[in-house]
Amino acid sequence: MKPFTIGILALQGCIDPHRPHVEALDIKFKEVKTAKHLEEVDAYILPGGESTTMLRLIKIFGLKEILAMEFAKKPVWGICAGAILMASKVTNPKQESFSLLDFEIERNSYGGQLQSTEIDIKDYPVSFIRAPIINKVSDDIEVVSKYKNTPVWLKTPQYMVTTFHPELTKTYPSQMHKEFGELIAAYYEKG
Amino acid sequence: MTETKINLKTGLAEMLKRGVIMDVVTPEQAKIAEDAGAVAVMALEKVPSDIRKDGGVARMSNPEMIQKIMEVSSIPVMAKCRIGHFVEAQVLQEIGVDYIDESEVLTPADNAHHINKHDFKIPFVCGATNLGEALRRIGEGAALIRTKGEPGTGNIVEAVKHMRSINQEIKRIASLETDELMAEAKVLGAPYSLLKVIKETGKLPVPNFAAGGVSTPADAALVMQLGAETVFVGSGIFKSENPEAFAKAIVKAVAHYDDPKEVLEASKNLPSPMKGIEIPTLSPAEKMADRGW
């Protein structure tokens, strides 16, 4: 069988650290910046970075519609800023999103860099960096894990959301990349 | 524990990659920068070209002014302290900025030592003109290195020189035998342990950004193609004829720095960039890049 390809939205943010995690799963890793790059991509990672910058670039390069069409039919994993792009409602401040999943998210709500922290989730060290907080989650979404009583990892058969970063940890692949790989395989197996 | 802290510190720099960090002096400018797509802002009282013009001792900005910029910004806010002025850094940490720039743009407070940056929870960025200087700063705890360039000149020549110098030295170190590294550490004035890391990985152990003299979309794409992972723009935006247009254009050019068509698109219909200064016309005392030890 042809290996899957994960396209990472590479307009801005934390891109390269994902490569060894993805390649350790025998999945191809591809940077996506233009409509042409979307060909042959089976699933997407929306990386950490600044969500305001990503939104602005998506808009000026005219990618919003085509990305929305792709995200509707393929698996997507949003991390931190990427999670913000997937939410149905964004606060602090209010901003646009692709609204892929029914949950509400508040930007930078732990505070600034002084509140950035590292914890273990499923025995894998991950970091929260100026992370957003998920406030409300629709009942049909699985909450995989919580931190300080709020959801930090969400899953459905098509989508995954984490407000923390597993990609900065240098043990490959991370538990979260592994589970996203499994999600992709199951999604296409079901057809 | 130290390693955890370093990961969180370099982690924020990882999030800022492939972006533009803009100098701003008012909340209004911070808003323009954020709306244009900046990944972070550097809050300061005067941009480097005005610091040059006005002369005198340049110090950390007024805390209230930094706080006002933090209030209106949803992106990270950085602020500068003087080289070696660890109390200014303590104050900035107390304010809760996201990054501290121990910067040669301000007048140095210590003419022999830099801040022990391991003492702080806030990450630091420091300027460097060559590999030895970069590794001394990383040894002191800097989580991010940027070229110094020659700030406030609108002239990219020095940033190019510093970026090329650091890259060439990294390649040279990577080609050395392990038993040659200690002598090299002595020559460069750099920690041996960090030279070993360079030899093993072929790159700096922290992200490497460019700063100093960027004033057009093509300047920004140039330093990115030379290996910078993000670009700081100081005077280049708010000293241009149309700051909003320049801010947007530079953000656009950085996202597609390796695609000349997109850099062309970003460069079209822009008014004049900042005027700029020829480096040989600066007296030695006016050269900010020489500050730092």
Side-chain angles (χ1 to χ4, degrees):
Chain A
M1 202 182 81
K2 201 163 80 77
F4 289 118
T5 299
I6 289 181
I8 183 161
L9 187 67
L11 293 169
Q12 191 277 317
C14 184
I15 295 145
D16 301 314
H18 283 283
R19 182 183 288 277
H21 289 284
V22 170
E23 290 179 347
L25 295 166
D26 291 321
I27 293 177
K28 281 205 212 160
F29 183 80
K30 182 177 177 181
E31 290 191 15
V32 166
K33 287 208 259 188
T34 66
K36 202 174 168 331
H37 294 160
L38 305 179
E39 290 163 15
E40 290 172 33
V41 169
D42 301 302
Y44 292 93
I45 291 180
L46 306 180
E50 285 305 319
S51 60
T52 48
T53 306
M54 293 180 198
L55 283 171
R56 160 111 200 112
L57 291 169
I58 287 168
K59 203 178 219 170
I60 60 177
F61 296 124
L63 294 170
K64 178 119 200 219
E65 248 172 62
I66 187 156
L67 285 176
M69 275 163 53
E70 284 287 302
F71 298 164
K73 60 185 186 199
K74 292 174 183 172
V76 183
W77 173 17
I79 299 160
C80 196
I84 294 167
L85 298 188
M86 292 176 74
S88 52
K89 188 177 170 193
V90 184
T91 58
N92 190 33
K94 235 175 98 170
Q95 65 188 38
E96 281 179 67
S97 68
F98 284 96
S99 196
L100 302 180
L101 269 184
D102 192 9
F103 68 95
E104 287 186 28
I105 200 162
E106 187 183 344
R107 293 183 58 205
N108 304 325
S109 48
Y110 295 101
Q113 175 64 11
L114 276 177
Q115 275 65 48
S116 290
T117 184
E118 205 173 61
I119 64 164
D120 281 4
I121 292 180
K122 291 196 185 179
D123 294 327
Y124 192 84
V126 300
S127 30
F128 288 87
I129 296 174
R130 286 174 47 91
I133 288 184
I134 294 172
N135 290 319
K136 256 190 227 160
V137 181
S138 158
D139 291 341
D140 52 353
I141 300 173
E142 179 195 352
V143 175
V144 184
S145 58
K146 286 186 171 186
Y147 169 62
K148 288 188 176 168
N149 281 324
T150 60
V152 294
W153 183 358
L154 308 179
K155 229 194 236 182
T156 68
Q158 190 181 354
Y159 299 123
M160 203 164 101
V161 170
T162 60
T163 57
F164 54 83
H165 299 274
E167 74 277 13
L168 299 174
T169 308
K170 289 175 180 156
T171 306
Y172 309 118
S174 80
Q175 178 63 23
M176 295 76 200
H177 286 82
K178 210 174 120 223
E179 293 195 25
F180 187 54
E182 289 161 4
L183 182 153
I184 297 169
Y187 181 80
Y188 285 104
E189 202 171 306
K190 251 186 8 204
Chain B
M1 189 61 206
T2 318
E3 201 175 326
T4 300
K5 269 188 170 176
I6 283 291
N7 284 343
L8 288 174
K9 286 173 170 178
T10 57
L12 179 55
E14 292 288 343
M15 301 309 139
L16 300 176
K17 280 187 179 177
R18 307 197 195 187
V20 184
I21 300 166
M22 303 183 191
D23 277 6
V24 298
V25 302
T26 62
E28 292 72 32
Q29 289 188 354
K31 208 73 206 123
I32 291 173
E34 182 168 331
D35 290 345
V39 291
V41 292
M42 175 76 71
L44 68 179
E45 230 154 313
K46 290 177 194 170
V47 295
S49 67
D50 284 336
I51 291 176
R52 275 186 191 287
K53 210 166 60 194
D54 298 352
V57 173
R59 309 178 178 91
M60 178 188 83
S61 299
N62 176 347
E64 280 153 32
M65 173 267 177
I66 297 171
Q67 280 166 324
K68 275 189 193 138
I69 288 176
M70 287 170 66
E71 273 165 30
V72 303
S73 301
S74 78
I75 55 179
V77 176
M78 305 184 171
K80 290 182 194 289
C81 71
R82 284 179 266 178
I83 289 172
H85 205 315
F86 53 86
V87 174
E88 283 187 351
Q90 289 166 1
V91 171
L92 291 175
Q93 174 157 281
E94 211 48 44
I95 294 173
V97 299
D98 296 294
Y99 239 96
I100 297 174
D101 185 0
E102 186 184 16
S103 179
E104 69 283 0
V105 166
L106 305 182
T107 310
D110 189 320
N111 58 15
H113 310 97
H114 283 250
I115 296 170
N116 174 16
K117 293 164 274 285
H118 292 294
D119 277 353
F120 291 79
K121 199 172 174 221
I122 296 281
F124 277 74
V125 51
C126 287
T129 58
N130 56 48
L131 184 62
E133 196 176 10
L135 295 182
R136 286 194 292 281
R137 299 297 84 81
I138 296 167
E140 292 155 0
L144 171 60
I145 291 296
R146 55 169 175 76
T147 59
K148 285 181 175 172
E150 194 50 56
T153 61
N155 191 336
I156 197 68
V157 65
E158 295 296 299
V160 168
K161 184 164 97 187
H162 301 157
M163 190 53 80
R164 282 199 188 274
S165 161
I166 290 173
N167 289 342
Q168 282 166 3
E169 288 180 300
I170 287 173
K171 278 188 208 143
R172 194 172 56 78
I173 299 303
S175 71
L176 295 179
E177 299 298 330
T178 305
D179 48 17
E180 294 168 329
L181 291 180
M182 188 58 86
E184 197 58 42
K186 192 176 161 192
V187 174
L188 291 179
Y192 174 71
S193 59
L194 291 176
L195 283 182
K196 279 208 317 209
V197 174
I198 302 259
K199 178 171 164 55
E200 280 159 25
T201 62
K203 55 182 193 182
L204 287 182
V206 305
N208 188 14
F209 293 1
V214 175
S215 47
T216 66
D219 285 350
L222 173 66
V223 286
M224 290 293 287
Q225 287 197 30
L226 284 172
E229 296 170 298
T230 269
V231 179
F232 284 88
V233 187
S235 321
I237 289 171
F238 289 99
K239 286 291 161 187
S240 71
E241 266 183 22
N242 184 342
E244 208 180 325
F246 269 87
K248 287 181 177 168
I250 292 175
V251 167
K252 216 170 150 180
V254 166
H256 286 290
Y257 68 91
D258 50 359
D259 182 345
K261 271 201 199 89
E262 292 289 352
V263 179
L264 164 64
E265 280 307 310
S267 308
K268 280 180 180 169
N269 302 318
L270 285 178
S272 294
M274 69 178 284
K275 184 158 177 268
I277 302 172
E278 280 263 43
I279 306 298
T281 64
L282 295 174
S283 72
E286 289 174 317
K287 283 199 181 158
M288 292 174 175
D290 294 342
R291 300 166 169 175
W293 346 108

